[in-house]
Amino acid sequence: MNAAVVIATYNERENLDGLVSAVLQHAGFRIIIVDDDSPDGTGALADELATRFPGRVSVIHRTGARGLGRSLVAGLQRALESDADLIFQMDADFSHDPKYLPDLAGAAAEADLVLGSRYLHGVSVVNWPLHRIVLSSFANRYIRAVTGIEVRDCTTGFRCWRREALARLPLEGLIADGYAFLVEQLHLARRIGCRIREVPIIFVERRVGSSKISSSVLLESAIVPWRLRLKG
Ligand SMILES: Nc1nc2c(ncn2[C@@H]2O[C@H](COP(=O)(O)OP(=O)(O)OP(=O)(O)O)[C@@H](O)[C@H]2O)c(=O)[nH]1
Ligand SMILES: [Mg+2]
């Protein structure tokens, strides 16, 4: 296995150490952390981890306007500069359990993009309040109806790309930032003809650290599917 995992972080100091160790349990996996100058010192911790695991952990420090989308683009571009065959993206807050990495990798034998999906068999989400489940379920229906994407979990951030497919994706052309970035990425993948598969994951809500969802991110999520539909 020759895999790179891109992890965007903003104030994930309490999660990062454990997550990095858990990912590195898997042989052949490397990590690219993309930190947005987190006020809680996540960036310094990431540097420590890079020193502790030379050759397996590297860090991109971003400054200026923060954003999940821009951070993922920077990390994915860095991963493409390496010789990784599989390139993953996942959250830093343990919602995406590293134990599923081999499942996603296995499915990538017959797909260009594999999604870790919360909605393949009912709803596999632990510790979400009802309103969060309702919102996510509505968002997925909305995105499917507006864009025609035929995927159960359009907003999952747990993804595995075959290198060749990711290299064909015009990453610089992605403009959304919050969840909408993930929808736009999926839409583009479909447009360039990627074979997309979903594998089931159980998503566990973060136990420590705080959420970065904002009303502007939600508003963007409402608008982007229409932009994708109108642009084709
Ligand atoms: N670099 C960077 N990472 C971000 C930014 N916003 C969120 N992230 C990271 O993106 C991932 C997902 O963000 P979360 O805050 O967990 O979003 P969420 O899962 O929808 O919200 P929770 O339910 O509270 O976990 C985490 O690894 C965050 O640290 C950002 O502006 N810049
Ligand atoms: Mg989260």
Side-chain angles (χ1 to χ4, degrees):
M1 185 82 68
N2 186 357
V5 182
V6 175
I7 304 175
T9 56
Y10 190 73
N11 288 347
E12 301 287 4
R13 198 180 164 78
E14 294 157 287
N15 289 311
L16 193 59
D17 202 331
L19 184 75
V20 163
S21 304
V23 170
L24 295 184
Q25 298 292 312
H26 299 287
F29 277 72
R30 275 170 291 135
I31 299 175
I32 299 165
I33 299 165
V34 191
D35 185 64
D36 252 340
D37 203 14
S38 299
D40 76 345
T42 303
L45 172 60
D47 286 336
E48 265 174 62
L49 292 164
T51 309
R52 203 187 310 161
F53 302 108
R56 294 197 75 191
V57 175
S58 61
V59 188
I60 299 173
H61 294 280
R62 295 182 74 252
T63 49
R66 78 169 178 94
L68 175 60
R70 290 297 97 205
S71 296
L72 287 174
V73 167
L76 294 170
Q77 283 171 334
R78 174 74 67 86
L80 283 170
E81 287 163 14
S82 77
D83 58 357
D85 301 318
L86 294 179
I87 298 171
F88 292 75
Q89 53 195 80
M90 70 190 292
D91 290 354
D93 58 1
F94 280 102
S95 289
H96 301 151
D97 193 324
K99 76 178 179 194
Y100 296 119
L101 289 167
D103 295 356
L104 270 71
E110 283 169 22
D112 300 307
L113 167 61
V114 181
L115 307 174
S117 178
R118 293 163 287 188
Y119 306 122
L120 265 190
H121 309 298
V123 178
S124 335
V125 172
V126 175
N127 286 347
W128 258 9
L130 185 62
H131 75 266
R132 196 76 198 268
I133 295 178
V134 171
L135 179 67
S136 178
S137 151
F138 170 78
N140 268 287
R141 277 165 217 264
Y142 179 81
I143 293 159
R144 279 196 297 272
V146 176
T147 64
I149 295 173
E150 284 156 359
V151 154
R152 301 317 301 167
D153 194 346
C154 305
T155 53
T156 177
F158 201 2
R159 300 183 169 185
C160 169
W161 297 87
R162 287 177 78 93
R163 169 201 188 79
E164 316 80 64
L166 184 63
R168 286 194 293 121
L169 205 73
L171 284 170
E172 281 303 335
L174 286 160
I175 49 185
D177 215 25
Y179 295 116
F181 172 86
L182 297 166
V183 176
E184 195 176 17
Q185 197 188 36
L186 186 58
H187 174 81
L188 267 185
R190 188 165 158 257
R191 247 193 19 205
I192 65 168
C194 285
R195 297 164 303 161
I196 302 169
R197 300 270 181 286
E198 290 179 270
V199 300
I201 61 156
I202 297 174
F203 177 102
V204 181
E205 178 54 353
R206 65 161 71 246
R207 274 161 298 152
V208 287
S210 61
S211 176
K212 285 102 209 170
I213 305 171
S214 61
S215 46
S216 66
V217 160
L218 291 179
L219 180 66
E220 180 188 58
S221 308
I223 295 168
V224 164
W226 286 101
R227 178 162 59 70
L228 298 177
R229 176 178 173 146
L230 296 173
K231 250 188 13 190

